[in-house]
Amino acid sequence: MPHWRTWHRPLVLFAAAMAVTTVVSGVGLLVDDRVLAGSAIWFKPFKFAVSFVVYALALAWMLTLLTRGRRTGWWAGTVVALAGVVEMAVIVGQVVRGKRSHFNNATPFDASLFAAMGVTVVILWAGTLVIAILLLRARIADRASAWAIRSGVLLALVGAGFGFLMTQPSKEQRAAGNLDTADVVGAHAVGVPDGGPSMPLTGWSTTGGDLRIPHFVGMHALQLLPLFLLALVALAPRFVRLRDPAVRLRLVRVASGSYAAVTALVTWQALRGQPLVHPDGVTLTAAAAVVAATAAATYGALRGRPEAHPSASTTKELVS
């Protein structure tokens, strides 16, 4: 793996700033008892800061793998970092004021702040898209590494895109009318108001659908699929089949397909207004089909024919 000092500097600095924000928000959770929209007021900046740490570090590392368009990639990464700084500044600033950051239409100032956040999200998504395109064009010798990295960033783009669904007025808000004068426009939850009963740690609704679930699942493919490949490489000395690059490639393809299926499943469940923890029979049947298909594909990947001339590469793009 490239030394961390060669990673994209602005993204690394942004991740460091978010690590500090995580600590500050954690302290806020302990000493500030204010509650906003049914949740501890410092919970949102805490979650966003943690997510940005892993997101920024993953992109900072991936940018070292570019073989073409390095300058373009540097600017795209810098744009992502700057957009993240602006978004977090609004979130933390609104917490200090005791106001909602997301969906706040209560005053012209609050509405303008939320509009500014919307712009930063679009910019951040566009910057990630540029990086994804450059990674698709990069020459990555190990095919399993290439597949894990490219599918991870593409699924992350899909997951980030689900954030746009939350900014739209909910069915209940449209039915109430007068969106221009409403205090809140947009929602995380589907079928129930925001701020109701929720899961511990995540804050996801336990009474209705929640669009934050596919948003979270999709975005973190950026880290989880490359980590899955790293796990395969780490286990290779103990399992002969995993030493074959063709087997690792097939397993990464299975993992990518299964991850995409899970992302689609939780999106479908959320849009139907169904809580993650209370799936109906149709959702359980679909989940069982995904599990069965994954198990069968994994068996096939492990039993498939090895490469005629195995590569000497040991996934050098991911491990030294």
Side-chain angles (χ1 to χ4, degrees), residues 3-89:
H3 193 278
W4 70 268
R5 291 183 183 276
T6 68
W7 294 13
H8 187 273
R9 184 63 58 84
L11 280 169
V12 171
L13 292 175
F14 173 56
M18 290 303 97
V20 174
T21 305
T22 299
V23 174
V24 172
S25 300
V27 172
L29 286 169
L30 294 175
V31 303
D32 191 339
D33 59 1
R34 288 180 296 168
V35 174
L36 184 63
S39 177
I41 198 168
W42 284 96
F43 191 40
K44 184 179 290 291
F46 179 84
K47 290 192 300 181
F48 269 70
V50 171
S51 182
F52 268 135
V53 167
V54 293
Y55 188 81
L57 288 179
L59 287 182
W61 161 65
M62 288 181 179
L63 283 167
T64 66
L65 305 178
L66 298 183
T67 54
R68 290 184 288 181
R70 285 181 175 271
R71 185 172 181 81
T72 301
W74 188 91
W75 280 109
T78 302
V79 165
V80 168
L82 291 175
V85 167
V86 174
E87 183 173 2
M88 285 302 297

Side-chain angles (χ1 to χ4, degrees), residues 43 47-48 51 58 75 84 100-101 109 146 183 206 216 229 233 260:
F43 191 40
K47 290 192 300 181
F48 269 70
S51 182
W75 280 109
R100 293 178 65 128
S101 53
F109 179 68
D183 287 346
T206 57
F216 174 90
L229 178 55
V233 173

Side-chain angles (χ1 to χ4, degrees), residues 267-293:
T267 303
W268 178 55
Q269 185 182 18
L271 290 172
R272 290 162 58 217
Q274 186 178 108
L276 179 69
V277 293
H278 299 298
D280 62 12
V282 176
T283 302
L284 288 173
T285 300
V290 171
V291 171

Side-chain angles (χ1 to χ4, degrees), residues 7-316:
W7 294 13
H8 187 273
R9 184 63 58 84
L11 280 169
V12 171
L13 292 175
F14 173 56
M18 290 303 97
V20 174
T21 305
T22 299
V23 174
V24 172
S25 300
V27 172
L29 286 169
L30 294 175
V31 303
D32 191 339
D33 59 1
R34 288 180 296 168
V35 174
L36 184 63
S39 177
I41 198 168
W42 284 96
F43 191 40
K44 184 179 290 291
F46 179 84
K47 290 192 300 181
F48 269 70
V50 171
S51 182
F52 268 135
V53 167
V54 293
Y55 188 81
L57 288 179
L59 287 182
W61 161 65
M62 288 181 179
L63 283 167
T64 66
L65 305 178
L66 298 183
T67 54
R68 290 184 288 181
R70 285 181 175 271
R71 185 172 181 81
T72 301
W74 188 91
W75 280 109
T78 302
V79 165
V80 168
L82 291 175
V85 167
V86 174
E87 183 173 2
M88 285 302 297
V90 174
I91 291 173
V92 175
Q94 287 292 75
V95 166
V96 173
R97 295 180 65 229
K99 305 292 184 180
R100 293 178 65 128
S101 53
H102 288 70
F103 321 128
N104 194 339
N105 196 51
T107 68
F109 179 68
D110 290 318
S112 65
L113 287 178
F114 181 52
M117 288 180 62
V119 172
T120 63
V121 170
V122 172
I123 293 172
L124 191 150
W125 190 90
T128 305
L129 175 62
V130 171
I131 295 171
I133 292 171
L134 292 172
L135 286 169
L136 288 173
R137 299 176 66 236
R139 297 187 183 92
I140 301 175
D142 183 78
R143 290 181 295 164
S145 300
W147 192 279
I149 291 163
R150 291 165 179 168
S151 58
V153 73
L154 290 174
L155 282 169
L157 281 168
V158 172
F162 291 133
F164 298 115
L165 297 177
M166 304 181 207
T167 64
Q168 303 305 306
S170 66
K171 184 186 299 183
E172 294 77 16
Q173 290 167 351
R174 289 194 185 95
N178 300 320
L179 293 176
D180 290 338
T181 58
D183 287 346
V184 176
V185 177
H188 299 128
V190 178
V192 295
D194 280 349
S198 61
M199 296 170 59
L201 298 180
T202 63
W204 297 336
S205 176
T206 57
T207 56
D210 200 314
L211 292 168
R212 289 173 294 186
I213 299 171
H215 183 60
F216 174 90
V217 172
M219 285 191 68
H220 289 293
L222 189 71
Q223 301 88 32
L224 293 178
L225 289 175
L227 284 175
F228 173 75
L229 178 55
L230 278 176
L232 295 182
V233 173
L235 291 171
R238 300 186 63 181
F239 299 94
V240 174
R241 294 294 292 168
L242 296 183
R243 298 174 194 171
D244 182 2
V247 171
R248 293 200 299 269
L249 174 61
R250 291 195 292 266
L251 288 174
V252 168
R253 286 174 173 170
V254 171
S256 300
S258 298
Y259 203 103
V262 170
T263 303
L265 178 61
V266 295
T267 303
W268 178 55
Q269 185 182 18
L271 290 172
R272 290 162 58 217
Q274 186 178 108
L276 179 69
V277 293
H278 299 298
D280 62 12
V282 176
T283 302
L284 288 173
T285 300
V290 171
V291 171
T294 301
T298 300
Y299 178 80
L302 290 171
R303 301 298 297 176
R305 295 177 61 184
E307 284 189 340
H309 301 287
S311 168
S313 168
T314 55
T315 320
K316 63 182 179 182

